Amino acid sequence: MSVWLPSAPCTPRACVEATVSLTAVPRAVLRLTAVVVLVLVGVVLAPAGGWFPSRVVRGWSRTVVRAAGVRVRVTGAAAPTGTGLLLVANHISWLDIPLLAGVRPARMLAKAEIRGWPVAGALVARGGVLFIDRDRLRALPATVATIADSLRAGRAVAVFPEGSTWCGRAQGRFRRAVFQAALDARVPVQPVRIRYRDRAGAAGTVAAFVGDDPLLASLWRVVSARGLVAEVEVLPALAPGSHPDRRTLAAAAGAQVRGEARERQLVTPFGRPDGLSGPAGHRLDGRRRVPRKAGERAGAQAPAGRIPVERGALGAS
């Protein structure tokens, strides 16, 4: 494995909660059986997916999650349709895949190792999954070009730009490469925030699929859990041309998913952006704070030679 590959510090032993309950075994077996049947049906029918209305695919995707005993809450505006769309989200669990498909059916970007899985690999490939060889950095431009071609054709592509799963109580930074495809194809980027909560409403890690956690162990934790809720928040889409390069586009999408963009938008009681001062003499709106002379009115023009310099709101260096 290449050293440049992103990785998360989360591990099953350190981060993931257990759901051991002998009384829950019969219910868990029924849920697991339902999930497996639904997934197999979906994979077999995937090559004909273009013939099904998107609402049918969205309904099937959410049914898979509900069959596992997980309630789904979707908030925010509907994702754009009728155009190519790059769906990007934080990555916690295998459940993220049907949850994103429930927002808008999309081609999924997956690691190339899945293609070699017995039976499942061939079926997944027939379903239109895009594969990326994460061990070969030289293959990245070709993968980006393939994604861009799919976006230009009006299809949606779903990507987890963190490049690794996290437990849900912490998140990684979005990698930039796939955002170049959205720039090249001139399509919107749709950020989506995924969270899992326990019965008490607190952030839970039961659904996390991290580190060397076996898939079957993760499946069993989810189907044997009680009161697990998946929250899917569809955030404002980033329009084509709204960011000049992939670095700022990735930073903007990542900030929305992590909730940083909302925290920056502090508003005064009069509805104007607040100019509260931040650290190192900078205001929270990105402009440098200029000290006023004694008796100088607030809002007065800065002295010559002290014109505030605008800085990029997100990801600026």
mmCIF file of all heavy atoms in Angstrom, residues 27-49:
data_model
loop_
_atom_site.group_PDB
_atom_site.id
_atom_site.type_symbol
_atom_site.label_atom_id
_atom_site.label_comp_id
_atom_site.label_asym_id
_atom_site.label_seq_id
_atom_site.Cartn_x
_atom_site.Cartn_y
_atom_site.Cartn_z
ATOM 1 N N ARG A 27 -33.957 -10.992 16.327
ATOM 2 C CA ARG A 27 -34.276 -9.792 15.548
ATOM 3 C C ARG A 27 -33.124 -9.437 14.622
ATOM 4 O O ARG A 27 -33.327 -9.069 13.457
ATOM 5 C CB ARG A 27 -34.578 -8.624 16.491
ATOM 6 C CG ARG A 27 -34.943 -7.329 15.761
ATOM 7 C CD ARG A 27 -35.188 -6.181 16.732
ATOM 8 N NE ARG A 27 -33.962 -5.857 17.459
ATOM 9 C CZ ARG A 27 -33.852 -5.892 18.778
ATOM 10 N NH1 ARG A 27 -34.872 -6.272 19.524
ATOM 11 N NH2 ARG A 27 -32.717 -5.561 19.375
ATOM 12 N N ALA A 28 -31.892 -9.552 15.127
ATOM 13 C CA ALA A 28 -30.720 -9.230 14.318
ATOM 14 C C ALA A 28 -30.594 -10.158 13.116
ATOM 15 O O ALA A 28 -30.244 -9.725 12.011
ATOM 16 C CB ALA A 28 -29.461 -9.290 15.180
ATOM 17 N N VAL A 29 -30.894 -11.449 13.315
ATOM 18 C CA VAL A 29 -30.823 -12.411 12.208
ATOM 19 C C VAL A 29 -31.834 -12.061 11.127
ATOM 20 O O VAL A 29 -31.528 -12.097 9.921
ATOM 21 C CB VAL A 29 -31.049 -13.842 12.728
ATOM 22 C CG1 VAL A 29 -31.209 -14.811 11.566
ATOM 23 C CG2 VAL A 29 -29.891 -14.269 13.617
ATOM 24 N N LEU A 30 -33.050 -11.687 11.531
ATOM 25 C CA LEU A 30 -34.070 -11.305 10.563
ATOM 26 C C LEU A 30 -33.645 -10.059 9.781
ATOM 27 O O LEU A 30 -33.819 -9.982 8.559
ATOM 28 C CB LEU A 30 -35.401 -11.054 11.276
ATOM 29 C CG LEU A 30 -36.133 -12.294 11.802
ATOM 30 C CD1 LEU A 30 -37.365 -11.885 12.600
ATOM 31 C CD2 LEU A 30 -36.534 -13.203 10.643
ATOM 32 N N ARG A 31 -33.101 -9.091 10.496
ATOM 33 C CA ARG A 31 -32.650 -7.862 9.830
ATOM 34 C C ARG A 31 -31.520 -8.151 8.852
ATOM 35 O O ARG A 31 -31.522 -7.634 7.729
ATOM 36 C CB ARG A 31 -32.178 -6.840 10.882
ATOM 37 C CG ARG A 31 -33.294 -6.216 11.704
ATOM 38 C CD ARG A 31 -32.706 -5.308 12.766
ATOM 39 N NE ARG A 31 -33.743 -4.597 13.512
ATOM 40 C CZ ARG A 31 -33.494 -3.799 14.557
ATOM 41 N NH1 ARG A 31 -32.240 -3.637 14.973
ATOM 42 N NH2 ARG A 31 -34.476 -3.179 15.165
ATOM 43 N N LEU A 32 -30.556 -8.957 9.281
ATOM 44 C CA LEU A 32 -29.413 -9.273 8.428
ATOM 45 C C LEU A 32 -29.865 -10.000 7.160
ATOM 46 O O LEU A 32 -29.396 -9.709 6.053
ATOM 47 C CB LEU A 32 -28.410 -10.127 9.201
ATOM 48 C CG LEU A 32 -27.108 -10.473 8.467
ATOM 49 C CD1 LEU A 32 -26.367 -9.219 8.053
ATOM 50 C CD2 LEU A 32 -26.225 -11.351 9.359
ATOM 51 N N THR A 33 -30.807 -10.923 7.317
ATOM 52 C CA THR A 33 -31.330 -11.649 6.161
ATOM 53 C C THR A 33 -32.011 -10.696 5.188
ATOM 54 O O THR A 33 -31.818 -10.784 3.958
ATOM 55 C CB THR A 33 -32.324 -12.726 6.618
ATOM 56 O OG1 THR A 33 -31.673 -13.617 7.537
ATOM 57 C CG2 THR A 33 -32.861 -13.509 5.430
ATOM 58 N N ALA A 34 -32.798 -9.765 5.724
ATOM 59 C CA ALA A 34 -33.502 -8.807 4.867
ATOM 60 C C ALA A 34 -32.524 -7.919 4.113
ATOM 61 O O ALA A 34 -32.708 -7.643 2.917
ATOM 62 C CB ALA A 34 -34.446 -7.956 5.718
ATOM 63 N N VAL A 35 -31.466 -7.486 4.787
ATOM 64 C CA VAL A 35 -30.470 -6.626 4.141
ATOM 65 C C VAL A 35 -29.770 -7.369 3.012
ATOM 66 O O VAL A 35 -29.604 -6.849 1.904
ATOM 67 C CB VAL A 35 -29.439 -6.117 5.173
ATOM 68 C CG1 VAL A 35 -28.259 -5.450 4.470
ATOM 69 C CG2 VAL A 35 -30.086 -5.136 6.140
ATOM 70 N N VAL A 36 -29.348 -8.608 3.286
ATOM 71 C CA VAL A 36 -28.637 -9.393 2.277
ATOM 72 C C VAL A 36 -29.516 -9.624 1.051
ATOM 73 O O VAL A 36 -29.074 -9.473 -0.102
ATOM 74 C CB VAL A 36 -28.165 -10.737 2.877
ATOM 75 C CG1 VAL A 36 -27.640 -11.654 1.779
ATOM 76 C CG2 VAL A 36 -27.090 -10.497 3.923
ATOM 77 N N VAL A 37 -30.784 -9.970 1.266
ATOM 78 C CA VAL A 37 -31.694 -10.217 0.142
ATOM 79 C C VAL A 37 -31.881 -8.945 -0.684
ATOM 80 O O VAL A 37 -31.815 -8.968 -1.925
ATOM 81 C CB VAL A 37 -33.045 -10.742 0.659
ATOM 82 C CG1 VAL A 37 -34.080 -10.761 -0.471
ATOM 83 C CG2 VAL A 37 -32.891 -12.130 1.252
ATOM 84 N N LEU A 38 -32.114 -7.821 -0.015
ATOM 85 C CA LEU A 38 -32.326 -6.563 -0.727
ATOM 86 C C LEU A 38 -31.094 -6.153 -1.526
ATOM 87 O O LEU A 38 -31.201 -5.695 -2.670
ATOM 88 C CB LEU A 38 -32.691 -5.459 0.262
ATOM 89 C CG LEU A 38 -34.128 -5.477 0.796
ATOM 90 C CD1 LEU A 38 -34.268 -4.531 1.976
ATOM 91 C CD2 LEU A 38 -35.105 -5.083 -0.309
ATOM 92 N N VAL A 39 -29.917 -6.319 -0.925
ATOM 93 C CA VAL A 39 -28.679 -5.941 -1.615
ATOM 94 C C VAL A 39 -28.451 -6.828 -2.832
ATOM 95 O O VAL A 39 -28.088 -6.344 -3.912
ATOM 96 C CB VAL A 39 -27.479 -6.006 -0.647
ATOM 97 C CG1 VAL A 39 -26.166 -5.874 -1.411
ATOM 98 C CG2 VAL A 39 -27.589 -4.898 0.401
ATOM 99 N N LEU A 40 -28.660 -8.129 -2.680
ATOM 100 C CA LEU A 40 -28.467 -9.037 -3.804
ATOM 101 C C LEU A 40 -29.424 -8.725 -4.948
ATOM 102 O O LEU A 40 -29.039 -8.722 -6.122
ATOM 103 C CB LEU A 40 -28.657 -10.488 -3.343
ATOM 104 C CG LEU A 40 -27.534 -11.071 -2.494
ATOM 105 C CD1 LEU A 40 -27.883 -12.480 -2.045
ATOM 106 C CD2 LEU A 40 -26.205 -11.065 -3.247
ATOM 107 N N VAL A 41 -30.670 -8.423 -4.620
ATOM 108 C CA VAL A 41 -31.638 -8.051 -5.649
ATOM 109 C C VAL A 41 -31.194 -6.775 -6.349
ATOM 110 O O VAL A 41 -31.249 -6.662 -7.579
ATOM 111 C CB VAL A 41 -33.038 -7.876 -5.036
ATOM 112 C CG1 VAL A 41 -33.995 -7.245 -6.047
ATOM 113 C CG2 VAL A 41 -33.588 -9.217 -4.563
ATOM 114 N N GLY A 42 -30.730 -5.798 -5.570
ATOM 115 C CA GLY A 42 -30.285 -4.545 -6.144
ATOM 116 C C GLY A 42 -29.078 -4.700 -7.046
ATOM 117 O O GLY A 42 -29.000 -4.089 -8.122
ATOM 118 N N VAL A 43 -28.119 -5.541 -6.621
ATOM 119 C CA VAL A 43 -26.915 -5.746 -7.427
ATOM 120 C C VAL A 43 -27.253 -6.458 -8.730
ATOM 121 O O VAL A 43 -26.736 -6.118 -9.812
ATOM 122 C CB VAL A 43 -25.869 -6.542 -6.618
ATOM 123 C CG1 VAL A 43 -24.720 -6.983 -7.511
ATOM 124 C CG2 VAL A 43 -25.340 -5.700 -5.465
ATOM 125 N N VAL A 44 -28.134 -7.454 -8.666
ATOM 126 C CA VAL A 44 -28.514 -8.191 -9.874
ATOM 127 C C VAL A 44 -29.236 -7.272 -10.864
ATOM 128 O O VAL A 44 -29.040 -7.363 -12.094
ATOM 129 C CB VAL A 44 -29.396 -9.398 -9.504
ATOM 130 C CG1 VAL A 44 -29.991 -10.029 -10.754
ATOM 131 C CG2 VAL A 44 -28.584 -10.425 -8.730
ATOM 132 N N LEU A 45 -30.078 -6.376 -10.347
ATOM 133 C CA LEU A 45 -30.846 -5.489 -11.218
ATOM 134 C C LEU A 45 -30.083 -4.219 -11.592
ATOM 135 O O LEU A 45 -30.583 -3.424 -12.397
ATOM 136 C CB LEU A 45 -32.166 -5.095 -10.534
ATOM 137 C CG LEU A 45 -33.165 -6.228 -10.290
ATOM 138 C CD1 LEU A 45 -34.390 -5.688 -9.569
ATOM 139 C CD2 LEU A 45 -33.564 -6.895 -11.602
ATOM 140 N N ALA A 46 -28.889 -4.027 -11.029
ATOM 141 C CA ALA A 46 -28.129 -2.794 -11.259
ATOM 142 C C ALA A 46 -27.876 -2.493 -12.733
ATOM 143 O O ALA A 46 -27.978 -1.337 -13.151
ATOM 144 C CB ALA A 46 -26.808 -2.852 -10.494
ATOM 145 N N PRO A 47 -27.534 -3.488 -13.583
ATOM 146 C CA PRO A 47 -27.311 -3.163 -14.998
ATOM 147 C C PRO A 47 -28.521 -2.545 -15.675
ATOM 148 O O PRO A 47 -28.382 -1.825 -16.665
ATOM 149 C CB PRO A 47 -26.965 -4.522 -15.606
ATOM 150 C CG PRO A 47 -26.410 -5.323 -14.473
ATOM 151 C CD PRO A 47 -27.206 -4.895 -13.281
ATOM 152 N N ALA A 48 -29.714 -2.836 -15.183
ATOM 153 C CA ALA A 48 -30.936 -2.264 -15.758
ATOM 154 C C ALA A 48 -31.417 -1.061 -14.964
ATOM 155 O O ALA A 48 -32.564 -0.615 -15.131
ATOM 156 C CB ALA A 48 -32.038 -3.324 -15.810
ATOM 157 N N GLY A 49 -30.545 -0.527 -14.124
ATOM 158 C CA GLY A 49 -30.947 0.572 -13.251
ATOM 159 C C GLY A 49 -31.438 1.790 -13.997
ATOM 160 O O GLY A 49 -32.282 2.543 -13.489
#
